[in-house]
Amino acid sequence: MEIFPDIDQVQQMLEEISESIPAEFFKKLNEGVVLLPQHRYHPRSREGRPLYILGEYRKSITGSHIRIYYGSFKRTMEGMERQKIKEKLEETLLHEFTHHLETLAGERGLILKDQESIKRYLEK
C-alpha cells in the first residue's frame, strides 16, 4: 500500500498541473488556487456514507479562487498510487476551473450537472 503524499508533495503536484493549464484560464482568478489542509464534507453528506468536497470554486467581493482540500483527498484516496492521486487532482482542478469559466460567461451547465450528481447520491 502506498503512503499518501504529504501536503507539500500535493502542493508540488498542483503546481505542476497548474503550469499545464492555459494562462487565460487564470483570468479574474485573482486569489489563485489554494491547497487547504482540512477535509470538508458536503452539506448534504450522510452519516455512514460521507460525501467529501475535494475542491470548490469561490467568488466573493474580494475576488475568486479555487480551494483544494488536502484532507478530503487523503480520506478518499489513502493507499492509492501517486499517479492516480495526481490524475484526480487534475480532474478536480479542471472541474473547478470550469466553474470559474462558466461563472465569467454567465453559464450554469456544470452547476446543474453537480446538482444532478448530488440528487443521485441522495437517492442511494
Side-chain angles (χ1 to χ4, degrees):
M1 186 162 95
E2 296 266 338
I3 295 172
F4 197 83
D6 66 31
I7 195 165
D8 293 329
Q9 293 168 323
V10 172
Q11 178 67 44
Q12 180 62 39
M13 287 181 202
L14 273 176
E15 289 171 10
E16 289 170 11
I17 295 164
S18 292
E19 288 172 6
S20 71
I21 295 173
E24 51 272 11
F25 281 38
F26 289 87
K27 182 180 179 183
K28 296 193 178 182
L29 191 73
N30 65 314
E31 296 171 344
V33 176
V34 182
L35 179 63
L36 299 170
Q38 68 267 26
H39 68 274
R40 176 136 193 240
Y41 294 112
H42 189 278
R44 301 190 72 191
S45 181
R46 292 182 167 170
E47 191 173 326
R49 203 166 145 246
L51 181 59
Y52 291 97
I53 295 174
L54 299 177
E56 61 187 343
Y57 171 68
R58 290 283 188 103
K59 184 174 166 100
S60 71
I61 195 164
T62 61
S64 60
H65 66 277
I66 292 172
R67 292 180 178 185
I68 302 295
Y69 293 98
Y70 172 81
S72 293
F73 270 89
K74 187 171 183 179
R75 287 186 177 208
T76 60
M77 301 198 75
E78 187 81 52
M80 299 288 255
E81 296 175 11
R82 282 181 185 251
Q83 186 58 37
K84 293 284 184 198
I85 295 166
K86 188 171 182 180
E87 288 169 7
K88 189 65 174 179
L89 278 168
E90 183 173 28
E91 177 186 317
T92 302
L93 188 57
L94 292 175
H95 179 99
E96 300 312 327
F97 265 110
T98 302
H99 279 298
H100 171 60
L101 296 172
E102 282 190 350
T103 298
L104 293 177
E107 298 290 329
R108 295 180 36 85
L110 190 54
I111 290 172
L112 298 173
K113 186 176 176 184
D114 286 349
Q115 288 171 346
E116 186 60 37
S117 294
I118 297 300
K119 182 180 174 191
R120 283 193 306 275
Y121 162 81
L122 293 170
E123 289 172 350
K124 289 183 181 178

